[in-house]
Amino acid sequence: MPDPQARTQVWDYLKPRPAKWPEATFIVGNPPFIGASRMRDALGDGYTEALWRAYPKMPRSADLVMFWWEKAAIAARGYKPGKGKGTRRLGLITTNSLRQTFNRAVLEPHLADPKTPLSLIFAIPDHPWVDAGEGAAVRIAMTVAEGGRREGRLFTVATEDKGDEEAEGRRVEFNMDRGTIFANLRTGADVAGAVALKANEGLANRGAFLIGMGFLGSETELKSLSTGTDAVESGIVLPFVGGADLVQRHRRHWIVDFWGLTVSEARHKYPALFQKVLDEVKPTRDENNMKWRRDNWWVFGDPARSFRASTRDLSRMIVTSRTSKHRIFQMADARQIPESEVVVVGLDDMLFVPLLSSKIHFSWSLAAGTRLGMGNDPRYNNSLCFDPFPFPETTEAQKTHLRALGEDLNAHRKARQAEHPKLTLTGMYNVLEKLRAGERIEGKDREVYDQGLIGILLDLHNQIDAAVAEAYGWPVTLTDDEILQNLVTLNRTRAGEEARGEIRWLRPDYQNPAGHAAAKGEQTELDVGTATAAAKTPWPTRLPDQIAAVRATLQDMGEATPEQIARHFARARTASVQPLLESLTALGQARMIEGGRFAA
C-alpha cells in the first residue's frame, strides 16, 4: 500500500519545475544554509520532495545552498564573451561543507566538463561567520567562478583573532595561492581528482547510525536485563564505542543490538531488553520521517553498514574518530559496536596502523577530507581519505619493522592511559603538536607531558614517518605539497594498473576470497580527474568585455607584460592589450612596474 505521507507530498505540489531566473551579468548571493538532513524539517516533506523532482540531477545528499550554485554555474557556463550576453561570473557564500563529498558532486561536473568548463577564480574554503545579534557562529566558504579554463586565487586563513565572542565579526589574515582551484577548494596537487582504488574497496566504513539513544546503557544495566538469556554470549549485548570515546574519556557504554531478529524473536528471547528498547526507542522512531525506520524501530536506524561484513571474522580492527582535531588511528577490539562517528578499517594487520598514522597519510587525509563546525576539526571521509589512498609496496623486512612500530605506538598510548585514567589522546596530541612546534611545555601541559611520556610518543612518530617514507622510496624531508603530488601520481599509476587487471588487494582473503584474476579492459577510459590543459579564451569583440578580460587575467597572473596577457587569448594582439592596461592603471585598478610590466 502506498505511503499516505508520500501521497500528500505529490498532491501538494503538482508538476514542480525549476524557477526561471532573470538574465543577469553577475550572480551574487548568500542562499539559505540548510543541510540536506534538515531540509524536510525546515521546508516540509512536500516542498522537499517537489524540489528533488524539479531538479532530478541534483544529489539528494546536497545541501539546499547547492541548488543555487548549480543554477548559477549553468548560467555562467553559457556566457558568450563575444556577444556580451549571459552571466559572466557567479559569487556565492555557502557553508564550508562545500568541500564535502555530497556537495562536491555538484561542483565537479562543472569544473571537469571538457567542452564548456567552469573555473573557480577566487575561493575561501573556510572562514568564520559571526553574528552576535542573531547568535550565529558558523564556518563558511566563498566561491567565485566563471566559464573557461582559468587559474584562480585561493585564500586560506593564516591567523584568526577570536577576541570577544560577543563582538561582530573576527579579524582574519590570509595566505594566498594561485593556480587551478579544484573541487575540494585546494590548489597544487589534484587530490580531489584521485580515484577510488579497488585494492582498498570495502575496508573502510562508518559505524552504525543508532537513531535512538535508548539502545545504550551501562554494562551493569544491560547485563542485568540479560539475566536468564544468552544475550551476552550471542552478541545481543555488546560494548559500544563512539567517536568521542576514542579521543576523550571513554563513557563505557554498552548497547542492545537486535539486528537480524524479527520483532517477535526479540520480544520472546530477550523480553527485558526488548521492553527497554520499546519504552526508550520506539516513541522517537514513531516520529521518524523514514518509513523503514518507523517500521523497524527495534534495530538501529542504519544497522547493516558494511563495517559488519569487513570485521565479522576479525578479533581486532583499526578505528579513528571521524571528526577530530588530531588524526589518530588505533587498534581496537572488534567485538564492539562502533557508531557512525567512528570510521572502521577492516584490517587486523598491525602493519596498517603506522602506515595510516604517518605524516604521508596525514597530509593526504587533511587535503582530501573536510572540516566541520566552529571547532573547524578535520573530518575523515573514508570515501575520500581511505579509498583512493595508494599504500606503498613493502618488502618483508619493512613490514616486520613497521608492525613493530605499530605495536609500540599502540601499547605506549594504552599503557599511559591505563596508568593515568584522566589522560586523553586529545590531550596527549595537543602537547605533542606543541613539542613539534618548539613551544615551551609548562603548567598543565607539563603534567600531560610527564604522564603521557610525550617525548617517547614523538620519537615513535618520527620513527614511523621515516620508515613509511622509506617504504615509498621517498625522502623523509618532503614537504606536504611534494607528498601530495607524489600520492596523486601514484594513485593514477595504480588506477592504470587496475584498469589492466592488476590489483594489489590489501586484504585478499576478504576482498577476493576465490582468488579470481581481475577482468581486464573493463575501463575504456580512465578517469584521472579534471584536465588542466589551458585552452585559449576567445578575445572578446566588445570593448567593455575586453577590459574586463584583461583585468581578470592580470589579477590571476599577479603581474605580466601586455604580450604575456595577449597570449592568454585567441586572436588578441599586444597592441590591443597595452592601452587597456594603461586605462586600468589610470582608474587605479592596475599599476605599472619596472620592465614594462603591470601588476594587479
Side-chain angles (χ1 to χ4, degrees):
M1 180 178 177
D3 182 3
Q5 187 177 19
R7 262 203 322 272
T8 301
Q9 292 164 355
V10 172
W11 285 107
D12 280 351
Y13 296 87
L14 291 175
K15 298 181 180 179
R17 59 187 183 275
K20 186 177 181 180
W21 283 6
E23 188 171 304
T25 306
F26 299 98
I27 297 175
V28 181
N30 177 15
F33 290 8
I34 301 177
S37 62
R38 294 183 50 248
M39 281 169 57
R40 289 182 180 274
D41 292 336
L43 305 175
D45 290 337
Y47 186 91
T48 302
E49 289 289 341
L51 183 67
W52 287 334
R53 292 203 304 278
Y55 296 90
K57 293 183 179 180
M58 285 291 289
R60 292 201 171 195
S61 56
D63 293 342
L64 182 62
V65 67
M66 300 312 298
F67 288 79
W68 272 262
W69 213 100
E70 170 78 1
K71 290 176 73 72
I74 293 172
R77 286 175 58 193
Y79 178 65
K80 306 297 183 184
K83 297 180 180 179
K85 292 184 178 180
T87 298
R88 184 182 297 172
R89 287 184 179 181
L90 69 91
L92 294 175
I93 294 175
T94 67
T95 61
N96 69 346
S97 63
L98 183 73
R99 297 172 292 171
Q100 294 194 29
T101 312
F102 49 84
N103 288 330
R104 270 169 41 184
V106 178
L107 272 69
E108 285 168 346
H110 297 293
L111 301 183
D113 189 274
K115 294 182 179 179
T116 58
L118 190 74
S119 292
L120 294 170
I121 60 171
F122 172 91
I124 301 178
D126 183 78
H127 193 287
W129 178 286
V130 180
D131 186 333
E134 296 185 4
V138 296
R139 310 293 300 193
I140 64 165
M142 305 180 197
T143 47
V144 177
E146 67 177 41
R149 288 250 177 256
R150 301 283 302 280
E151 291 190 343
R153 293 179 295 160
L154 179 71
F155 290 82
T156 53
V157 174
T159 61
E160 179 180 338
D161 182 13
K162 295 185 178 181
D164 185 358
E165 292 186 357
E166 297 184 358
E168 294 285 352
R170 289 180 179 171
R171 180 179 177 83
V172 177
E173 295 181 352
F174 297 96
N175 292 324
M176 193 270 284
D177 291 313
R178 294 180 185 273
T180 299
I181 303 177
F182 300 109
N184 60 349
L185 303 192
R186 288 183 61 92
T187 57
D190 185 11
V191 176
V195 297
L197 299 174
K198 290 189 70 65
N200 303 9
E201 191 174 74
L203 295 178
N205 303 279
R206 294 177 67 180
F209 289 83
L210 302 187
I211 318 297
M213 296 305 292
F215 290 111
L216 297 174
S218 68
E219 179 181 2
T220 301
E221 176 195 7
L222 297 189
K223 284 187 174 180
S224 175
L225 294 175
S226 303
T227 301
T229 73
D230 65 348
V232 176
E233 295 78 8
S234 299
I236 301 300
V237 169
L238 293 164
F240 170 82
V241 61
D245 295 325
L246 295 175
V247 294
Q248 301 294 338
R249 294 188 66 182
H250 203 301
R251 294 165 294 178
R252 306 298 175 189
H253 283 153
W254 279 51
I255 196 165
V256 181
D257 183 9
F258 283 142
W259 174 245
L261 299 180
T262 66
V263 66
S264 178
E265 289 171 336
R267 181 175 63 248
H268 286 101
K269 291 183 177 180
Y270 312 102
L273 291 170
F274 183 85
Q275 179 168 282
K276 170 181 169 60
V277 176
L278 176 70
D279 292 344
E280 300 178 22
V281 174
K282 191 174 187 297
T284 300
R285 293 284 283 273
D286 283 346
E287 301 297 321
N288 198 280
N289 56 28
M290 292 182 62
K291 186 176 185 301
W292 188 93
R293 289 178 177 175
R294 294 195 303 273
D295 292 347
N296 297 273
W297 55 267
W298 68 96
V299 294
F300 304 154
D302 193 1
R305 306 291 302 185
S306 298
F307 82 87
R308 290 184 185 268
S310 68
T311 60
R312 183 177 295 118
D313 299 324
L314 302 181
S315 61
R316 60 184 188 176
M317 59 189 178
I318 299 173
V319 292
T320 187
S321 178
R322 189 163 181 255
T323 305
S324 180
K325 182 178 180 181
H326 306 289
R327 183 52 46 212
I328 303 170
F329 290 88
Q330 50 194 302
M331 195 67 80
D333 187 347
R335 189 180 160 79
Q336 58 185 335
I337 293 291
E339 59 112 2
S340 59
E341 279 305 302
V342 174
V343 173
V344 180
V345 182
L347 294 167
D348 61 354
D349 189 342
M350 188 59 81
L351 167 68
F352 291 95
V353 169
L355 290 176
L356 292 169
S357 301
S358 67
K359 177 186 176 182
I360 288 176
H361 184 66
F362 175 76
S363 298
W364 174 269
S365 65
L366 204 59
T370 56
R371 290 180 180 268
L372 184 70
M374 278 305 295
N376 205 29
D377 290 331
R379 194 167 178 84
Y380 194 85
N381 305 76
N382 47 286
S383 62
L384 300 175
C385 301
F386 185 90
D387 292 352
F389 183 73
F391 287 88
E393 188 174 9
T394 51
T395 66
E396 289 304 316
Q398 288 170 338
K399 288 177 181 177
T400 299
H401 181 45
L402 285 166
R403 287 184 181 116
L405 287 172
E407 295 287 0
D408 284 348
L409 178 66
N410 222 49
H412 176 81
R413 295 183 302 207
K414 287 184 177 180
R416 303 326 300 160
Q417 289 187 287
E419 187 167 336
H420 303 280
K422 293 184 179 180
L423 190 63
T424 67
L425 288 180
T426 295
M428 292 172 68
Y429 278 84
N430 281 342
V431 175
L432 177 65
E433 290 307 311
K434 290 182 178 181
L435 192 62
R436 280 176 169 157
E439 298 181 22
R440 289 180 60 86
I441 308 300
E442 52 191 4
K444 291 184 178 180
D445 289 341
R446 186 70 207 187
E447 182 180 356
V448 172
Y449 179 89
D450 292 336
Q451 292 180 350
L453 299 180
I454 306 302
I456 294 176
L457 182 62
L458 175 60
D459 181 63
L460 284 170
H461 275 285
N462 288 341
Q463 291 184 59
I464 286 171
D465 289 342
V468 173
E470 180 185 352
Y472 279 100
W474 302 341
V476 73
T477 55
L478 289 180
T479 65
D480 287 341
D481 285 342
E482 291 169 333
I483 288 172
L484 295 177
Q485 291 285 3
N486 284 0
L487 289 172
V488 167
T489 299
L490 185 56
N491 171 270
R492 294 182 179 184
T493 300
R494 295 284 174 79
E497 292 174 350
E498 293 188 350
R500 297 189 297 272
E502 304 170 19
I503 302 175
R504 305 165 187 259
W505 302 107
L506 297 185
R507 187 181 158 199
D509 61 320
Y510 169 69
Q511 297 169 296
N512 187 25
H516 293 309
K520 298 182 181 181
E522 292 180 353
Q523 291 175 285
T524 57
E525 183 178 351
L526 183 61
D527 176 16
V528 292
T530 305
T532 56
K536 287 190 176 182
T537 303
W539 180 242
T541 56
R542 298 172 66 249
L543 181 60
D545 293 330
Q546 292 174 357
I547 294 174
V550 169
R551 180 178 58 192
T553 303
L554 182 63
Q555 288 176 339
D556 288 343
M557 298 179 70
E559 59 179 61
T561 64
E563 181 182 7
Q564 289 172 328
I565 290 180
R567 288 176 182 170
H568 277 255
F569 300 92
R571 297 185 299 280
R573 297 182 178 180
T574 303
S576 301
V577 173
Q578 176 80 35
L580 300 181
L581 287 168
E582 292 173 353
S583 298
L584 290 171
T585 301
L587 292 171
Q589 297 181 10
R591 54 191 174 88
M592 192 170 184
I593 56 179
E594 72 265 2
R597 300 172 68 81
F598 291 80

